[in-house]
Amino acid sequence: MSLDTNKASNERRPDWAALVIAVVLVAVAGVIFVDVSRLTSVTGYSPVGPASVPYWIAFGLIGLAIWTVFAAFRRDFPARERQEVSPVLWVVAGLLAQMILIRYAGFSIATGLMFALAARGFGARKLWFSIPVGIVICFAIWWLFAIVLQLSLPAGPIENLFL
């Protein structure tokens, strides 16, 4: 009998992850509402202005949040797979490395390292190969933006060799 009551109580509990998703949707909609309220209402001859689409997006997010709450209480969400933490940590490490190193090592090295660590997170095993490939690709991107398009990207030792 206790097995049946446990099953019944689990069926009555909401899906807490879904409720968190609903709260995040409402928070994003709230940020959009606050940001759009700061826009000046310049409509001119048409009632459609720069705030129209963001308002519709925010209302859509509120609708999705309500739908998510109902689905959470009905437990309509599909079963989720077990989350792997290691790939997420590799990608986050790449982002942190790029943010920390970009000022000192320049765009090519910092972003190439981010490329290699993110590739490791997605399954590439050879960091000794991914790091130089990432640096070469990122140098080509830096060259395109800094030299061809005349945009300002942080330069490091590799970039300074070619300036």
Side-chain angles (χ1 to χ4, degrees):
M1 176 140 169
S2 68
L3 185 60
D4 289 335
T5 57
N6 255 354
K7 186 178 175 186
S9 67
N10 280 342
E11 288 179 6
R12 281 186 258 141
R13 287 187 182 165
D15 186 343
W16 292 106
L19 291 177
V20 169
I21 292 169
V23 168
V24 169
L25 288 171
V26 169
V28 170
V31 168
I32 292 172
F33 278 127
V34 168
D35 196 36
V36 170
S37 70
R38 295 180 183 167
L39 288 175
T40 59
S41 58
V42 179
T43 57
Y45 63 88
S46 173
V48 177
S52 300
V53 173
Y55 272 129
W56 281 109
I57 291 171
F59 283 123
L61 288 173
I62 295 290
L64 288 173
I66 293 168
W67 188 3
T68 303
V69 168
F70 283 122
F73 280 102
R74 286 184 298 175
R75 303 202 49 88
D76 280 348
F77 276 83
R80 289 175 286 281
E81 295 179 10
R82 189 172 136 320
Q83 295 296 314
E84 296 291 331
V85 176
S86 177
V88 174
L89 293 177
W90 279 105
V91 172
V92 169
L95 291 169
L96 288 174
Q98 198 236 10
M99 287 190 299
I100 292 168
L101 293 175
I102 197 157
R103 178 177 288 168
Y104 309 107
F107 181 83
S108 299
I109 293 174
T111 310
L113 189 60
M114 178 188 67
F115 168 84
L117 293 176
R120 175 68 176 90
F122 283 105
R125 298 285 180 208
K126 301 175 184 174
L127 277 177
W128 60 268
F129 182 74
S130 297
I131 291 173
V133 167
I135 290 173
V136 167
I137 291 170
C138 293
F139 177 76
I141 292 169
W142 175 85
W143 182 83
L144 176 70
F145 279 87
I147 304 301
V148 176
L149 298 175
Q150 298 291 314
L151 297 173
S152 177
L153 289 176
I158 293 176
E159 295 88 357
N160 288 330
L161 286 175
F162 294 93
L163 284 179

